[in-house]
Amino acid sequence: MGGFSSPILHGLCSFGFAARHILRQYANNDVTKFKAIKTRFSKPVYPGQTIQTDMWREGNRIFFQCKVVESGHLVLSGGYVDLKDMDDAKTTMPDVHAVVSSPGKSGLKSEALFKEIGKRISDHPELVKKVKGIFEWNITKGGKTAGQWTVDLKSGSGSVTEGPYKQGKADCTITVEDDDLAAIAMGKANPQELFMKSKLKVKGNIMLTTKLGQLFKDQAKL
C-alpha cells in the first residue's frame, strides 16, 4: 500500500539504532545523558540491511548521518543528538585529536592522520567531485623530509598513498613540519598563520587548499 517493493524497517527503528550508536560512542551507553534528537528520514531501510552511523562532536551536540552499507544510500541525514554532562562522558573509540597525538610506525604523527584521511575518503567518495585535486604532502622533521603522502581527490573514488605522486605533477604540493600538521588537524594551529611564517609552504594551485576542510569537516581544521 505504501508503494515499496517489500516491507520496510519502521523509521523509528532506524532512529533508535542511530541513538544507540551515539550513546555507545559518546556516553558509555548511559541513557541519562540523553537530552534530545532530531534528524530527517531520507530513504527507507529494508530488513537485513546494515546501518552505519557517521558522527562527530561539537560541544554537547553530536551531529550524525546514517547510511545503508550495502547501497551507500543515506537513510537519516542532517541529524543531531544533544547530550548532557559531556565533560564526564568517555568515548569508546578515539577521536581525531587522540589519533593524531600518537606517532605511527614511521615515527610521524602524520602517518595516523593520513590513515584517517584515507578512511574519510573511503566513506565519502563524493569528495572527489567537491575537491577535484591531487595533493602531494612533504612532511618534514627538523627541516628535512621525513615522509611523503599523495592524497588523490581527482581520480576514481579518491585515494591516499604513501610516497610522492608518480603519475606526473600534483595539482598542489604542501610542505609542513610533522608537529605543525598534527597541530592543524587538532585545531591547535592556524594554517594561514603558519603559511605567513613560511612554516607551511604551498606550490601549484594554492586555491585548492581552501577545499581541504572537506576531509575533516566539523572534526578538525585541516
Side-chain angles (χ1 to χ4, degrees):
M1 291 176 64
F4 298 104
S5 58
S6 63
I8 64 172
L9 193 68
H10 197 294
L12 287 178
C13 187
S14 307
F15 204 39
F17 270 106
R20 180 182 179 184
H21 291 166
I22 291 166
L23 285 171
R24 182 176 60 190
Q25 173 71 19
Y26 287 104
N28 286 335
N29 292 316
D30 185 351
V31 297
T32 65
K33 295 186 182 297
F34 181 87
K35 184 178 181 181
I37 185 171
K38 181 180 180 181
T39 192
R40 177 178 183 270
F41 294 94
S42 301
K43 286 194 174 183
V45 178
Y46 292 94
Q49 291 183 322
T50 308
I51 300 174
Q52 174 180 307
T53 304
D54 301 320
M55 62 194 91
W56 57 96
R57 174 184 170 185
E58 289 189 8
N60 290 337
R61 177 162 289 183
I62 312 301
F63 292 92
F64 75 92
Q65 64 181 23
C66 292
K67 68 180 180 182
V68 168
V69 173
E70 289 79 3
S71 66
H73 292 155
L74 283 181
V75 292
L76 298 178
S77 60
Y80 67 79
V81 168
D82 286 336
L83 298 175
K84 299 180 289 186
D85 304 322
M86 283 297 289
D87 289 340
D88 298 326
K90 295 181 180 179
T91 59
T92 57
M93 296 178 64
D95 58 15
V96 172
H97 293 66
V99 169
V100 177
S101 64
S102 302
K105 293 180 181 179
S106 65
L108 297 173
K109 296 177 182 178
S110 302
E111 180 182 337
L113 176 59
F114 284 108
K115 286 182 180 179
E116 285 298 304
I117 292 176
K119 292 177 183 177
R120 177 77 175 176
I121 293 173
S122 177
D123 291 340
H124 299 276
E126 71 276 6
L127 287 172
V128 173
K129 293 182 180 180
K130 293 181 179 179
V131 180
K132 297 181 180 179
I134 296 173
F135 302 85
E136 183 180 278
W137 292 80
N138 296 320
I139 309 303
T140 61
K141 290 279 284 186
K144 296 182 180 180
T145 300
Q148 290 180 298
W149 277 268
T150 298
V151 178
D152 186 345
L153 287 169
K154 194 174 187 177
S155 310
S157 57
S159 64
V160 175
T161 55
E162 189 170 356
Y165 185 53
K166 299 177 181 179
Q167 300 180 23
K169 188 176 181 181
D171 297 303
C172 185
T173 300
I174 303 170
T175 302
V176 63
E177 278 279 319
D178 183 49
D179 287 340
D180 286 337
L181 181 56
I184 291 172
M186 292 187 287
K188 296 180 179 179
N190 187 310
Q192 291 182 335
E193 290 181 3
L194 292 175
F195 179 77
M196 295 301 293
K197 294 177 181 178
S198 296
K199 290 187 176 182
L200 188 154
K201 300 177 181 179
V202 182
K203 292 182 180 179
N205 187 348
I206 192 171
M207 294 305 295
L208 278 175
T209 61
T210 62
K211 299 181 179 182
L212 285 175
Q214 297 286 339
L215 292 174
F216 278 93
K217 186 178 180 182
D218 298 318
Q219 290 189 3
K221 299 178 181 179
L222 178 63

